[in-house]
Amino acid sequence: GTTLAASAAESGRYFGTAVAANKLGDSTYVGILNREFDMVTAENEMKMDATEPNQGQFSYGNADRIVNQARNQGKRVRGHALAWHSQQPGWMQNMSGTALRNAMLNHVTQVATYYRGKIYAWDVVNEAYADGSSGGRRDSNLQRTGNDWIEAAFRAARAADPNAKLCYNDYNTDNWSHAKTQGVYRMVQDFKSRGVPIDCVGFQAHFNSGNPVPSNYHTTLQNFANLGVDVQITELDIEGSGSTQAQQYQGVVQACLAVTRCTGITVWGIRDTDSWRASGTPLLFDGSGNKKAAYNSVLNALNAA
Ligand code: G3I
């Protein structure tokens, strides 16, 4: 293939990007988006603060712009994210107990119902595990509603949109030996054993010098897949430049391609200047929209599959 999407499709996979609604008027941006990618994630527009700014009042304008642009171009959409401790609307941040649990479940139900049939996979719950050595849940207002909040969210999402794949999504879960990776693994194992509806695990894959691509990445992805879920690389970016960065991107692509149930890769933005990182050059296109060495290494790795 001569594009990321076409090359990924040769092995039945997708290649996606995060999209920001306020860039859909930028012709360079949209040109690359339409040419190279066949899966889209809204970078911020489907989060809880964006879709339910006031309790019970839902707002889908910017999310719809992204979903409609993608679907009109024949692309699929990953939904991000139904329940998360961060980017909650102000009204939710100070809630607790049963009121919060019910507000969260209503949010999951309403948003998943609104987009029913249009979403390939939902990040039902995002970033619920703690960093560090505990391997346990992160403290948050949602966690304090009871440890079963995650499975309750998954059951609500399944009821609302039965054909969407339902994912748990997190970061720093790439290294198999890390406690956080093990904690998420045990949760997925438990969900599968008890019939909690979970179909996939998203690995955000935000890498930098302090958090490099681990040498056991393939092991991590394969071990999760062996639990009976798909795995996806959902927010890939790698700090750095030149051949070092290109090699790291190649390693991530190869790790996914080596796992049958790794169904696709999404990068977290198009050009370096579109990245959430305030500085740096973590993406596949430079600020002018030119292909970087990292782009060529990803394309070659996809085509070698
Ligand atoms: O839109 C407002 C703008 O009106 C305002 O003037 C400006 C002033 O701060 O803020 C703008 O909103 C910002 C928004 O991005 C859009 O640019 C928010 O402050 C800022 O917090 C928000 O950052 C996003 C971040 O999630 C928030 O958690 C990033 O764009 C987005 O890339 C990032 O994405 C996350 C994933 O959802 C989850 N995994 C990690 C990943 C990277 O942090």
Side-chain angles (χ1 to χ4, degrees):
T2 60
T3 67
L4 299 170
S7 301
E10 286 171 7
S11 69
R13 294 178 173 85
Y14 65 81
F15 207 97
T17 182
V19 167
N22 64 11
K23 290 178 181 150
L24 290 175
D26 177 333
S27 59
T28 304
Y29 182 88
V30 175
I32 300 170
L33 169 61
N34 289 347
R35 185 184 76 223
E36 297 286 345
F37 300 98
D38 61 357
M39 185 71 76
V40 160
T41 307
E43 188 173 2
N44 288 294
E45 293 81 352
M46 283 195 191
K47 294 174 182 175
M48 300 178 99
D49 58 350
T51 49
E52 195 177 359
N54 302 298
Q55 187 168 15
Q57 290 182 2
F58 291 83
S59 168
Y60 297 110
N62 285 328
D64 280 347
R65 289 174 63 200
I66 292 173
V67 171
N68 293 336
Q69 198 279 343
R71 286 167 55 83
N72 288 340
Q73 293 287 325
K75 305 178 198 307
R76 293 182 292 172
V77 178
R78 291 191 84 265
H80 174 77
L82 292 172
W84 189 17
H85 70 275
S86 183
Q87 282 187 282
Q88 292 180 357
W91 61 265
M92 185 181 277
Q93 290 172 22
N94 296 316
M95 290 180 79
S96 62
T98 305
L100 174 60
R101 174 68 70 95
N102 289 338
M104 179 275 287
L105 291 175
N106 183 58
H107 181 87
V108 170
T109 298
Q110 294 293 327
V111 177
T113 299
Y114 180 83
Y115 284 111
R116 176 163 47 210
K118 295 184 173 176
I119 303 296
Y120 163 71
W122 270 111
D123 292 333
V124 178
V125 170
N126 195 39
E127 302 177 2
Y129 273 74
D131 294 309
S133 59
S134 77
R137 297 282 178 85
R138 170 198 299 276
D139 179 55
S140 73
N141 61 347
L142 290 169
Q143 180 63 28
R144 291 190 292 272
T145 70
N147 206 51
D148 62 343
W149 75 275
I150 296 181
E151 62 192 85
F154 274 83
R155 293 187 201 280
R158 178 69 95 223
D161 188 359
N163 293 323
K165 290 184 184 295
L166 305 182
C167 300
Y168 176 79
N169 191 54
D170 214 329
Y171 66 91
N172 286 356
T173 48
D174 311 287
N175 193 318
W176 180 243
S177 67
H178 283 180
K180 188 173 179 180
T181 309
Q182 296 293 316
V184 175
Y185 179 84
R186 284 191 297 271
M187 178 188 71
V188 176
Q189 191 174 43
D190 171 54
F191 281 12
K192 293 301 285 185
S193 74
R194 291 190 295 112
V196 177
I198 184 168
D199 306 303
C200 39
V201 175
F203 296 81
Q204 293 186 9
H206 295 291
F207 294 114
N208 55 41
S209 55
N211 178 41
V213 181
S215 57
N216 60 21
Y217 204 21
H218 165 253
T219 299
T220 304
L221 298 177
Q222 186 64 62
N223 284 346
F224 274 87
N226 289 348
L227 291 175
V229 290
D230 290 345
V231 295
Q232 301 162 359
I233 294 169
T234 54
E235 304 182 14
L236 177 61
D237 51 21
I238 307 177
E239 270 294 10
S241 62
S243 59
T244 307
Q245 181 184 49
Q247 272 179 6
Q248 292 180 291
Y249 264 104
Q250 178 188 44
V252 173
V253 173
Q254 288 173 339
C256 177
L257 294 176
V259 176
T260 305
R261 293 196 75 157
C262 184
T263 60
I265 299 171
T266 293
V267 289
W268 205 239
I270 296 179
R271 301 163 299 197
D272 286 334
T273 45
D274 300 316
S275 172
W276 66 288
R277 294 186 189 275
S279 60
T281 54
L283 294 171
L284 300 180
F285 295 86
D286 70 18
S288 303
N290 300 309
K291 296 170 181 174
K292 295 167 54 181
Y295 172 94
N296 292 318
S297 73
V298 168
L299 190 73
N300 291 339
L302 292 171
N303 283 325

